[in-house]
Amino acid sequence: MASAQTSTAETTPAARSARHGIIAMYGLESFGTGAFTSVQIVFFTQVLDRSPEQTSTALSTASFVALALILPFGRLADRFDRRLLLGLMNAAVALFLLGYVLPPSVVTFFVTTALVVLFQRLIGPIRAAVIAELFPVNRVALRAATYVAHNIGFSLGSLFAAGALLLVGGDGVFRTLLLINVATFAVCVLIVLRLPSTRPEPVEPGQRRGWAALKDRPFVVATVANTFGSLHDAALFVGLPLWLLHRTNGPGWGVPAIIALNCVLVVALQVRLSKGTDTVRDAARRQWYGTLVMGVGCALLVFTGGRLNPLSWTLLTAAVVLMTISEITQSAGAWGLSFNLADERRMSEYQSLFGFGLNVQEVVGPVLVTALVLAVPYGLGWLVLAAIVLLPVGVATRLLHRWAPAGGTA
């Protein structure tokens, strides 16, 4: 009865308005981020006159700072109104982005980059916790819709930036794109403030000590599995372009074609293929299926090296489709696990641990995939990558099936 009442509550006009607001927030934020990040390296090096070494060091340092702070921040966030905290964090990103228009100096550049990257990484787990609290029944469905909005927004933002540079050009365009990014985060603050208040169930003072998420064996296993399973991201957006450009005679337009095909498939299939992850077993099974699909895509790429012909073009296209389906289904299963296994009272802490795993993949994944794709001869690096992904996810799936009840969500 309680579940039915909760489900009904999520279909009220207020709930629908909140749902649309959350989706719009993801789309707007990703539009601004896509518009700026697609040109930020050029902006840093040509407008701010930062060297490539300074740029890469600043971005890498910022990523490691985010890794160090994401877990403590998530644990602290569970003591506050998550909606208000999310609004403050969006406002902070908008404010810190303005640091790039200050008089340029190395110190300002490093501090600004560290703060921007840190708060952008911290926003993700809090947004997930807000979704979990406001929509306890339809969490994965809403998360899938936000993922579609993110892809559409980021693609449109990147296209907008490319068009602005092509038609207008000049240093002023870079600053305009930066200010657009600032504006989108500011609008997100207004959207967040219109959401219902989120006040998590308080944790008893005696239970606040320690790291509950790190001691939760099933959740840690799910987090590790997602860290490996999400390597489809590095494979698709780093490995495949490098393979196409350096191990085949493929044209340069093949790289944006891969990204465009991925975006179209995600928009068309993400919501549909995210259904059926309501229990731990179903979510683990969906993640495993997505990982298997990635393994097949990696196997096909072994036969596409060298001079491309109609058959290898077909295999290459099939691999892009399979890796995109892997991205869709593995992500849906991972979201289901991250919500179903989490302690509702510590949702921010649990989502921060899950986000920590994703951030590790974002830091290590491109380096690992690049080494395998370019250094291992005869394309066998793709098979090594498949094994690296399949083994831990397979073990995790068996463990989660053993620990989870046949029905229910935990």
Side-chain angles (χ1 to χ4, degrees):
M1 178 65 73
S3 178
Q5 290 175 345
T6 303
S7 180
T8 302
E10 293 183 18
T11 62
T12 63
R16 287 198 297 270
S17 176
R19 182 178 186 276
H20 294 156
I22 290 173
I23 294 172
M25 177 177 61
Y26 273 82
L28 277 171
E29 183 271 326
S30 62
F31 176 85
T33 301
F36 179 61
T37 58
S38 60
V39 301
Q40 73 172 2
I41 299 300
V42 182
F43 174 67
F44 292 161
T45 56
Q46 294 188 5
V47 179
L48 300 185
D49 199 26
R50 302 276 72 86
S51 68
E53 293 77 14
Q54 290 172 338
T55 299
S56 60
T57 300
L59 291 172
S60 298
T61 302
S63 295
F64 284 111
V65 170
L67 280 176
L69 295 181
I70 189 170
L71 289 178
F73 179 80
R75 187 162 176 262
L76 181 65
D78 283 322
R79 303 184 184 184
F80 300 95
D81 183 330
R82 294 165 183 150
R83 181 208 59 159
L84 179 60
L85 188 59
L86 181 59
L88 291 174
M89 293 172 67
N90 276 278
V93 175
L95 178 63
F96 294 140
L97 279 168
L98 293 175
Y100 288 126
V101 302
L102 296 175
S105 72
V106 174
V107 173
T108 301
F109 175 69
F110 270 78
V111 171
T112 299
T113 302
L115 291 173
V116 169
V117 172
L118 171 63
F119 276 82
Q120 283 181 320
R121 298 286 177 86
L122 296 181
I123 281 177
I126 306 304
R127 284 192 302 201
V130 168
I131 290 174
E133 189 168 348
L134 293 180
F135 297 90
V137 174
N138 297 305
R139 296 166 172 177
V140 176
L142 178 52
R143 189 66 185 85
T146 62
Y147 194 68
V148 172
H150 171 83
N151 275 270
I152 294 175
F154 196 90
S155 299
L156 292 177
S158 299
L159 289 173
F160 179 82
L165 288 176
L166 180 64
L167 297 176
V168 182
D171 292 353
V173 171
F174 294 101
R175 292 189 169 86
T176 299
L177 294 173
L178 170 63
L179 293 177
I180 288 174
N181 199 12
V182 171
T184 56
F185 275 101
V187 174
C188 285
V189 175
L190 300 179
I191 294 175
V192 170
L193 294 179
R194 291 177 60 86
L195 297 177
S197 179
T198 56
R199 298 189 180 278
E201 180 182 346
V203 178
E204 295 297 329
Q207 298 177 345
R208 288 178 181 173
R209 295 181 179 179
W211 299 89
L214 288 173
K215 296 176 182 178
D216 190 326
R217 186 173 56 176
F219 195 85
V220 170
V221 168
T223 299
V224 173
N226 184 51
T227 302
F228 285 93
S230 60
L231 279 169
H232 55 68
D233 187 67
L236 189 56
F237 297 111
V238 178
L240 256 174
L242 289 174
W243 176 258
L244 182 69
L245 296 177
H246 295 280
R247 292 296 180 266
T248 77
N249 66 331
W253 55 259
V255 175
I258 289 172
I259 297 174
L261 178 58
N262 169 265
C263 183
V264 169
L265 290 174
V266 168
V267 171
L269 300 176
Q270 183 69 68
V271 173
R272 184 181 307 173
L273 295 183
S274 295
K275 297 176 181 179
T277 57
D278 298 326
T279 69
V280 170
R281 288 191 173 192
D282 289 341
R285 189 179 300 114
R286 182 63 59 87
Q287 180 173 243
W288 172 240
Y289 290 162
T291 305
L292 285 174
V293 171
M294 177 184 169
V296 175
C298 288
L300 293 182
L301 288 171
V302 176
F303 304 100
T304 62
R307 191 168 191 82
L308 293 175
N309 54 46
L311 176 59
S312 52
W313 269 116
T314 302
L315 294 176
L316 185 64
T317 303
V320 174
V321 173
L322 288 173
M323 286 193 175
T324 302
I325 293 175
S326 171
E327 173 190 357
I328 293 170
T329 54
Q330 187 276 331
S331 297
W335 297 330
L337 291 173
S338 72
F339 289 137
N340 292 329
L341 290 171
D343 183 340
E344 297 290 339
R345 299 169 302 173
R346 301 174 180 263
M347 187 60 73
S348 298
E349 178 184 338
Y350 274 73
Q351 295 306 316
S352 293
L353 176 57
F354 212 72
F356 178 86
L358 285 173
N359 286 335
V360 169
Q361 186 278 137
E362 290 176 359
V363 173
V364 178
V367 178
L368 173 65
V369 170
T370 299
L372 292 175
V373 168
L374 298 184
V376 181
Y378 308 113
L380 296 178
W382 288 111
L383 296 181
V384 176
L385 176 62
I388 289 174
V389 174
L390 286 168
L391 182 59
V393 177
V395 172
T397 302
R398 290 185 64 86
L399 290 175
L400 291 172
H401 272 255
R402 180 185 304 171
W403 292 333
T409 60

